[in-house]
């Protein structure tokens, strides 16, 4: 090989060997690929809704016509709503009666503790409870966040 390199040395003078060019090209392209690869880790969700299911048990549970939910210094309530009207915009909280109890839908809010007040159609407070919640992420990712769900039960009566 050495003899061939010496014989062709004059012809190759001033040229960079082909193997070196390939390595230089690869080294130049690698930094360009990192920003593209980083896009795969971008968080795509810009907002989501979290949902709290509240079951009311005990004698007279069917008389509950309104549920008030308070957390972080604000209270939200609703009477019997059409379920389609119960989906909030991304900056509100909705409280709606469902087939199995009540659903509280929040916009990216997962309070640790809420105060619940159930009232009859006449406005009589039937029960009040402060409950600690355990939220479970049901979508998204640990890095980017995502929707959560929690469930609680409150009882009427002693």
């Amino acid at each position: 090989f050495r003899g061939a390199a010496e014989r062709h040395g004059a012809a190759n003078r001033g040229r960079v060997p082909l193997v070196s060019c390939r390595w230089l090209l690869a080294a130049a392209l690698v930094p360009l690929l990192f920003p593209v690869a980083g896009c795969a880790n971008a968080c795509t969700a810009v907002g989501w809704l979290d949902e709290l299911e509240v079951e009311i048990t005990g004698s007279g549970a069917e008389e509950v016509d309104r549920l008030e939910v308070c957390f972080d210094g604000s209270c939200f309530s609703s009477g019997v709503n059409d379920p389609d009207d119960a989906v909030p915009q991304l900056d509100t909280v909705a409280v709606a009666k469902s087939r199995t109890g009540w659903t509280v839908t929040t916009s990216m809010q997962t309070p640790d503790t809420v105060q619940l007040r159930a009232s009859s159609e006449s406005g009589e407070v039937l029960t009040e409870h402060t409950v600690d919640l355990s939220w479970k992420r049901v979508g998204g990712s640990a890095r980017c966040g995502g929707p959560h769900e929690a469930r609680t039960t409150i009882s009427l009566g002693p």
Side-chain angles (χ1 to χ4, degrees):
F1 289 116
R2 186 172 180 202
E6 288 173 0
R7 282 193 301 260
H8 298 290
N12 287 330
R13 226 172 250 135
R15 291 186 184 172
V16 177
L18 186 59
V19 173
S20 297
C21 287
R22 287 183 184 152
W23 282 109
L24 287 173
L25 180 62
L29 290 177
V30 167
L32 297 175
L33 295 176
F34 282 111
V36 173
C39 290
N41 293 326
C43 296
T44 57
V46 294
W48 56 83
L49 300 174
D50 300 303
E51 195 169 274
L52 167 62
E53 293 289 330
V54 179
E55 181 183 2
I56 300 175
T57 61
S59 177
E62 64 282 345
E63 295 176 32
V64 175
D65 186 61
R66 180 180 173 142
L67 181 70
E68 182 177 57
V69 180
C70 300
F71 61 91
D72 294 338
S74 297
C75 293
F76 310 92
S77 66
S78 182
V80 178
N81 284 340
D82 178 0
D84 292 337
D85 294 338
V87 178
Q89 300 300 314
L90 285 179
D91 60 348
T92 62
V93 174
V95 181
K97 193 167 189 173
S98 67
R99 288 181 290 163
T100 58
W102 291 79
T103 303
V104 180
T105 308
T106 68
S107 170
M108 298 174 50
Q109 299 175 65
T110 54
D112 294 330
T113 303
V114 295
Q115 293 77 40
L116 301 171
R117 182 179 298 123
S119 303
S120 68
E121 186 175 3
S122 66
E124 175 190 358
V125 175
L126 302 172
T127 190
E128 290 183 75
H129 291 274
T130 297
V131 295
D132 294 325
L133 301 174
S134 177
W135 293 90
K136 177 183 175 188
R137 187 173 39 80
V138 293
S141 67
R143 182 173 133 346
C144 296
H148 287 72
E149 288 182 351
R151 299 188 192 304
T152 192
T153 302
I154 59 174
S155 179
L156 293 178

